[in-house]
Amino acid sequence: MLNGIEGLRADCMQCKKCGLCETRNHVVFGVGHPQAKVMLVGEGPGEHEDLEGEPFVGRGGQLLDKLLAAVDLDRRTNIYITNIVKCRPPKNRDPLPEEQEACINWLRAQFAILRPKIIVCLGRVAAMRMIKPDIKITKEHGLFIEKNGVVMMPTLHPAALLRNPSQKPAAFEDFLKLREKIDELGCDVAKLP
Ligand code: URA
């Protein structure tokens, strides 16, 4: 029998807790190192993610991978990536509050298994849900906020960077700060002895 994060994935694959299960091709559960202490949380799968079953694999995902690589982070080696909702909202609309509510226990369970020390919220929807409902991402990105013993940082969503490339240097600064925080807290699994 599977347990841990893979057991949870198997359960999540069957989920029918909201209407998004009617239109999905794949549940997009998450990807990453099973001992990662850094978790990145996006909004929800888009078209490519829905087709492939993995978060952030479209153009935004490629940009995210480049930002991660620049600070020695990699989705299979030392971090974990998931989303607030695990199934694609039609036409990439924002996930509805009731869809987020129906899905949030999967994220809570991922959190309970992985016990991340740092959570990066990718974009407004994740930051509103995880940090505070009135967050102003354009002003507050790159700032660390401690909540219940977990350090959280909002940053700009990769899709926003594709729409507005002039914001890329600011996002890069956020990832440099993230690397500093990871080193300060000693939570890069790939660097443990
Ligand atoms: N946007 C997100 O927020 N998550 C994904 O997985 C892909 C695009």
Side-chain angles (χ1 to χ4, degrees):
M1 203 188 74
L2 289 170
N3 50 27
I5 202 79
E6 289 311 313
L8 186 68
R9 174 198 295 278
D11 291 345
C12 187
M13 292 300 134
Q14 312 298 323
C15 184
K16 293 205 164 100
K17 288 184 186 168
C18 82
L20 295 181
C21 70
E22 308 285 341
T23 47
R24 74 181 177 219
N25 286 299
H26 286 102
V27 176
V28 181
F29 177 70
V31 64
H33 191 284
Q35 264 106 45
K37 292 290 161 217
V38 181
M39 187 187 250
L40 276 68
V41 182
E43 172 179 330
E47 185 184 4
H48 293 94
E49 292 75 23
D50 175 58
L51 290 173
E52 291 190 31
E54 180 167 327
F56 287 99
V57 290
R59 275 182 67 224
Q62 288 161 20
L63 174 56
L64 176 63
D65 282 341
K66 280 190 196 160
L67 286 163
L68 290 167
V71 293
D72 219 0
L73 296 174
D74 172 87
R75 61 173 68 206
R76 303 202 191 269
T77 314
N78 52 7
I79 57 167
Y80 192 86
I81 309 180
T82 189
N83 282 304
I84 296 285
V85 296
K86 311 301 193 223
C87 298
R88 183 191 182 198
K91 298 185 185 159
N92 298 343
R93 61 160 170 74
D94 285 359
L96 302 172
E98 56 267 33
E99 291 161 351
Q100 295 188 33
E101 213 42 53
C103 208
I104 204 72
N105 276 345
W106 294 117
L107 183 60
R108 289 199 182 109
Q110 287 172 307
F111 181 85
I113 292 169
L114 293 168
R115 299 244 132 257
K117 290 188 180 160
I118 302 178
I119 296 183
V120 178
C121 298
L122 296 165
R124 178 183 53 88
V125 169
M128 284 172 68
R129 179 82 212 193
M130 310 274 298
I131 299 174
K132 55 178 181 178
D134 61 346
I135 194 151
K136 294 277 171 287
I137 198 103
T138 44
K139 280 195 185 154
E140 296 177 66
H141 71 88
L143 300 177
F144 291 99
I145 296 144
E146 195 171 329
K147 248 184 132 178
N148 306 324
V150 181
V151 174
M152 304 214 179
M153 185 192 79
T155 191
L156 303 159
H157 194 283
L161 301 178
L162 291 175
R163 283 193 302 272
N164 193 350
S166 67
Q167 290 184 320
K168 283 186 194 174
F172 181 54
E173 288 289 318
D174 292 355
F175 280 82
L176 289 174
K177 287 184 201 159
L178 172 63
R179 168 43 75 188
E180 275 175 22
K181 186 60 83 179
I182 291 170
D183 291 343
E184 182 190 321
L185 300 181
C187 60
D188 186 338
V189 282
K191 291 194 175 172
L192 294 179

